Amino acid sequence: MQPLATKFHELFGSDPNIIATAPGRVNLIGEHVDFLDGFVLPFAISDVTTVAIAKNSSGKIRTASIQKKGAISTIESTQLKPKSGEAWTRYPVGVIWALGIDSGLDILIDGHVPLGAGLSSSAALECAVATAINELFNLGLALPELSRAAQRAENVYVGMPCGIMDQSVSLMATEGNALLLDTRDLSTEQIPFDIAPLGLELLVIDTQVHHALVDGGYAERRASCEKAIADLNIKSLRDISIADFVSRRNKLDDKTYLRAFHGVTEMKRVLDAVTLLKTGDFVGFGEIVTAAHISLRDNYTVSCPELNLAVDTALKFGALGSRMIGGGFGGSAIALIKAKDSELVKSEIRSEFMKARFKGPRFFSALPSAGAKVIL
Ligand code: ADP
Ligand code: MG
């Protein structure tokens, strides 16, 4: 029997009707553009969140997580209200709300995506629930619709204004590939990123720093991009070329210009990176990844000393490319390295962090893996 099914039985006294998994992700390139109709290039990692669900006839939704010591949190299925209930339960319950389900349910979650490390444990959780509910209630929703429902859960029910990338890749990823996602229409293309046979490794460096700026800083930069769109009187930063944008600099204040400049150039970097990957040019690809870091650091200004030190040290010790990922002001960086250099790069980063008196970093190795699936 599935280990989670056994735990489910111990907790709720019945067997689950369904078990589904969904992965976390890393984003190779296309940072802070998924709310700007931009392109992004994430892949799913092999760490997944698993959810077991059974219908019950009590009219109550009972939710528990192994990571929350299995304590059961209960809510009436007719009384789902955005931003209500215990904070972590808003992710799974929000998905049930977004999918319009009104039924008693027992839910047990077991997450193996590191929480809060920028690997999107939140989307893994939402997408595991969305996949299970879609199957259990025969909703017949296609992956883009499920993705939008999971995003709506996080935007409205949790109250976090995230873009559509994390949910899309958690649902649509395939093994060995990165997912080129057009966040305007959710069209996708699978881009080969099978790096292990080439002797390459994608190292994730979690600085374990969580600066208080994160939420306010994210919203404020998003607002700058929206101001640029308004000031330039365009529909989207997607619709303006770099040359055109630069030529209209005098229409924008400096801060707005630099932040929006990141968005406009980042969208081009994603497409250039895809072209290079298609020809197997990982050196050129790495250079674009590093250029993205410089733009995030200097134009969008969401980096921090810990992230910069991780990136600089990885590059110094042979990384083909490296950049901060995610919201910024902490969280993780990625580095594309030769697998044989892995121990060297990690020990050099550890020792540089010690010298700078930073908290010790955590390391993960990420390989492009499959998206969400029903496993029982
Ligand atoms: P990230 O998505 O980068 O990991 P977030 O802050 O967006 O970070 O999401 C993390 C939050 O998601 C946790 O604080 C918790 O509320 C919820 N969460 C994720 N996985 C689990 C889990 N396995 N059990 C309970 N809550 C979880
Ligand atoms: Mg998240």
Side-chain angles (χ1 to χ4, degrees):
M1 197 161 164
Q2 239 275 346
L4 194 62
T6 309
K7 286 185 187 138
F8 188 97
H9 198 281
E10 283 166 18
L11 197 64
F12 294 117
S14 65
D15 291 333
N17 302 136
I18 193 156
I19 301 184
T21 67
R25 60 95 190 97
V26 295
N27 185 22
L28 289 170
I29 191 153
E31 202 66 81
H32 290 276
V33 292
D34 69 340
F35 55 85
L36 293 173
D37 288 349
F39 298 98
V40 294
L41 189 67
F43 70 73
I45 59 177
S46 57
D47 301 309
V48 298
T49 295
T50 307
V51 61
I53 303 184
K55 292 183 192 174
N56 71 41
S57 52
S58 69
K60 294 183 193 331
I61 298 177
R62 302 193 290 172
T63 317
S65 163
I66 306 286
Q67 284 67 48
K68 299 287 174 186
K69 302 202 169 84
I72 298 175
S73 171
T74 303
I75 186 166
E76 294 291 331
S77 69
T78 48
Q79 280 165 22
L80 306 189
K81 222 172 65 236
K83 299 185 192 169
S84 69
E86 211 179 314
W88 77 266
T89 64
R90 294 174 194 173
Y91 296 86
V93 174
V95 172
I96 291 156
W97 168 84
L99 290 172
I101 299 296
D102 176 6
S103 163
L105 294 168
D106 293 331
I107 304 173
L108 178 60
I109 292 148
D110 188 13
H112 289 267
V113 180
L115 262 62
L119 298 174
S120 208
S121 69
S122 57
L125 172 51
E126 291 150 11
C127 293
V129 173
T131 301
I133 294 288
N134 193 32
E135 179 82 11
L136 186 59
F137 289 88
N138 292 314
L139 301 181
L141 295 175
L143 298 183
E145 295 169 276
L146 273 190
S147 171
R148 293 220 191 269
Q151 183 198 21
R152 215 160 80 77
E154 186 152 344
N155 286 171
V156 182
Y157 208 91
V158 176
M160 165 66 194
C162 61
I164 189 77
M165 170 175 74
D166 298 358
Q167 294 80 6
S168 299
V169 64
S170 183
L171 290 164
M172 300 176 201
T174 54
E175 194 177 336
N177 295 308
L179 184 77
L180 175 63
L181 173 73
D182 181 341
T183 62
R184 174 170 272 178
D185 61 8
L186 298 196
S187 61
T188 60
E189 184 182 348
Q190 302 287 347
I191 308 294
F193 195 73
D194 202 9
I195 50 175
L198 303 172
L200 297 175
E201 177 183 328
L202 207 277
L203 182 68
V204 180
I205 309 142
D206 177 9
T207 63
Q208 302 218 64
V209 174
H210 304 283
H211 288 147
L213 262 169
V214 183
D215 290 345
Y218 178 90
E220 200 211 315
R221 279 155 185 78
R222 190 171 168 154
S224 288
C225 293
E226 276 147 17
K227 181 171 189 307
I229 292 167
D231 290 353
L232 294 174
N233 195 19
I234 53 178
K235 207 174 108 228
S236 156
L237 290 181
R238 165 83 170 267
D239 300 318
I240 188 163
S241 70
I242 296 177
D244 212 6
F245 180 78
V246 170
S247 74
R248 297 171 70 185
R249 177 170 192 155
N250 61 352
K251 298 261 187 307
L252 304 174
D253 66 79
D254 283 348
K255 192 164 85 179
T256 304
Y257 174 80
L258 279 177
R259 290 173 173 183
F261 184 76
H262 168 75
V264 174
T265 55
E266 183 77 356
M267 293 188 208
K268 170 136 192 333
R269 275 189 290 275
V270 176
L271 298 180
D272 291 347
V274 165
T275 304
L276 289 167
L277 282 181
K278 284 180 174 170
T279 64
D281 182 352
F282 283 86
V283 172
F285 171 77
E287 283 166 7
I288 296 189
V289 169
T290 304
H293 180 73
I294 293 168
S295 179
L296 288 160
R297 185 190 68 193
D298 298 345
N299 299 326
Y300 210 62
T301 57
V302 286
S303 195
C304 66
E306 293 86 348
L307 286 167
N308 293 337
L309 186 60
V311 166
D312 293 345
T313 309
L315 290 171
K316 188 166 159 200
F317 289 92
L320 284 74
S322 183
R323 71 174 188 89
M324 58 152 287
I325 59 170
F329 314 110
S332 297
I334 54 170
L336 181 63
I337 60 173
K338 298 195 182 87
K340 68 173 176 52
D341 295 340
S342 186
E343 290 313 312
L344 171 75
V345 173
K346 286 187 237 177
S347 80
E348 291 295 339
I349 292 174
R350 245 185 239 114
S351 109
E352 287 300 319
F353 269 51
M354 213 138 76
K355 273 193 243 162
R357 297 181 182 277
F358 294 160
K359 193 173 173 183
R362 285 193 296 177
F363 299 100
F364 308 97
S365 180
L367 284 176
S369 306
K373 50 183 167 244
V374 172
I375 59 169
L376 175 93

